[in-house]
Amino acid sequence: MSTKLIVSTSPHVHSNFTTRNIMCKVICALIPAGLAGTFFMGIRSLLVIISCVLACVFCEWLWQKLMHQKSTVSDLSAALTGLLLAYNLPPTIPIWMAVCGCVFAIIVVKQFYGGIGCNIVNPALAARAMMLISWPIAMTTWTVQGVSGPTPLAFMKMGTVAMSEATKSTTGYVMPSFINLLSGNMGGCIGETSAILLILGGVYLVWQKIISWRIPVIYILTTVILASAFGHGGHFPLYEALTGGLMLGAIYMATDYTTSPMSAKGQIIYAFGCGLLTALIRTWGGYPEGVSYSILIMNVAVPLIDKYTEPRILGAPKSNFFKRMGAK
């Protein structure tokens, strides 16, 4: 035989998707929200975005150069990490802090574990959590059109009385209107405020079959329903859904292939867990926001979720739950 056959294990599935193609589509879906953030928060937002993207790409290239590995910067995964990290930062963040976050995301969280596909948590969210612990003031200083003020979530943290007081013209803070909630004209991180553009980008990704609807929809609904039931912010579900990083996290970061479950059942459990933790942190935690920590915690639980939600092999007998748990 002149032709050699390559024999490998199943499944033998062909797909036209490549890593570069997937990353490119996600970046395209995110660009409108970044432009809205730059429009409302100033040109410095664009500087933070460019700095983070370049820093992440350089860190990955340098690490692989030093380790004598094949460079993977062309797959755009490092660029996407930098973009997501920038979207999770306030526009006033010092550039050197943003670069430190990029180094942590690419080298510590991603490359230390073996590179793309091997990290156990989302690199951008892990870097944001590190920065929030290291520089809490710089990470929670918000400006819109040059004016500093609290985010809607921070004000909701004060409870029902503060929410009702915010609607009075005699106070120094007025909760954003529905139009501002959708457009992004309010305090927050660079890429998290424009809910309508984030949603449209998510619809585009679902249409392109890059992500499934399960995780974002279940995550958002769980957070809104439970947080409202817990009395967070005086039962304002609209603000619960459209403020903070819920849209950005649920659509673009909780759906990360590497750190989310593979099965449909696992994705439902994972999304519900993210929503529950977010609602608990927003209501009783020390931070107004809870998306980053919720996704990171559930990222760690993904191997366990995958283990106990893996589909049964065709023809194989149903295994006993307690046997799968390791009981004798």
Side-chain angles (χ1 to χ4, degrees):
M1 293 179 62
S2 59
T3 303
K4 294 183 179 180
L5 300 178
I6 300 176
V7 180
S8 62
T9 58
S10 60
H12 304 286
V13 180
H14 175 74
S15 173
N16 292 324
F17 287 133
T18 63
T19 301
R20 180 185 175 87
N21 179 258
I22 293 171
M23 299 299 168
C24 184
K25 289 181 183 296
V26 177
I27 291 173
C28 290
L30 282 166
I31 286 176
L35 294 176
T38 302
F39 177 77
F40 289 117
M41 301 180 191
I43 194 65
R44 198 176 189 284
S45 300
L46 185 60
L47 177 61
V48 173
I49 293 173
I50 294 174
S51 299
C52 285
V53 171
L54 292 179
C56 282
V57 171
F58 176 75
C59 285
E60 181 153 306
W61 173 83
L62 181 62
W63 175 267
Q64 292 174 333
K65 188 75 171 178
L66 294 175
M67 295 295 106
H68 305 289
Q69 300 173 352
K70 181 181 178 181
S71 176
T72 59
V73 295
S74 61
D75 64 15
L76 300 180
S77 62
L80 178 58
T81 297
L83 187 63
L84 287 172
L85 177 57
Y87 279 21
N88 278 276
L89 300 178
T92 54
I93 192 78
I95 298 300
W96 70 268
M97 289 185 187
V99 172
C100 288
C102 295
V103 173
F104 184 85
I106 295 297
I107 295 181
V108 177
V109 183
K110 183 179 178 182
Q111 294 299 333
F112 276 11
Y113 286 89
I116 186 171
C118 299
N119 49 285
I120 60 174
V121 295
N122 185 282
L125 286 179
R128 183 185 189 276
M130 180 277 293
M131 295 175 69
L132 191 59
I133 295 171
S134 303
W135 306 291
I137 296 177
M139 287 290 290
T140 54
T141 301
W142 319 106
T143 59
V144 179
Q145 297 175 349
V147 180
S148 298
T151 63
L153 270 183
F155 212 78
M156 289 170 67
K157 191 74 174 177
M158 302 176 190
T160 309
V161 176
M163 285 290 289
S164 60
E165 287 293 324
T167 61
K168 300 178 181 178
S169 59
T170 55
T171 61
Y173 181 79
V174 177
M175 292 297 285
S177 65
F178 180 69
I179 297 299
N180 286 340
L181 285 175
L182 289 175
S183 64
N185 188 17
M186 57 183 173
C189 295
I190 294 172
E192 72 179 16
T193 56
S194 183
I196 186 63
L197 294 178
L198 292 172
I199 293 171
L200 290 176
V203 171
Y204 167 74
L205 293 180
V206 172
W207 174 59
Q208 290 289 313
K209 298 182 179 180
I210 301 298
I211 64 173
S212 167
W213 62 269
R214 295 185 192 90
I215 292 177
V217 171
I218 295 174
Y219 185 178
I220 293 169
L221 288 178
T222 301
T223 301
V224 170
I225 293 171
L226 292 182
S228 297
F230 295 157
H232 176 247
H235 308 282
F236 285 82
L238 187 62
Y239 282 95
E240 201 69 61
L242 301 181
T243 59
L246 184 58
M247 291 292 176
L248 180 63
I251 298 172
Y252 299 95
M253 289 184 283
T255 54
D256 176 38
Y257 291 168
T258 305
T259 56
S260 62
M262 294 180 287
S263 67
K265 186 187 298 182
Q267 290 174 3
I268 293 172
I269 296 172
Y270 169 80
F272 177 80
C274 287
L276 174 61
L277 290 172
T278 301
L280 290 173
I281 294 173
R282 284 187 173 188
T283 306
W284 293 293
Y287 293 104
E289 183 62 273
V291 172
S292 297
Y293 291 112
S294 300
I295 297 177
L296 289 172
I297 292 171
M298 292 306 297
N299 284 166
V300 178
V302 164
L304 192 64
I305 295 174
D306 277 336
K307 180 178 180 181
Y308 295 115
T309 59
E310 60 183 355
R312 181 167 61 92
I313 300 174
L314 183 64
K318 293 182 179 180
S319 57
N320 183 276
F321 174 78
F322 294 101
K323 287 183 179 180
R324 296 178 73 180
M325 290 294 288
K328 299 295 183 180

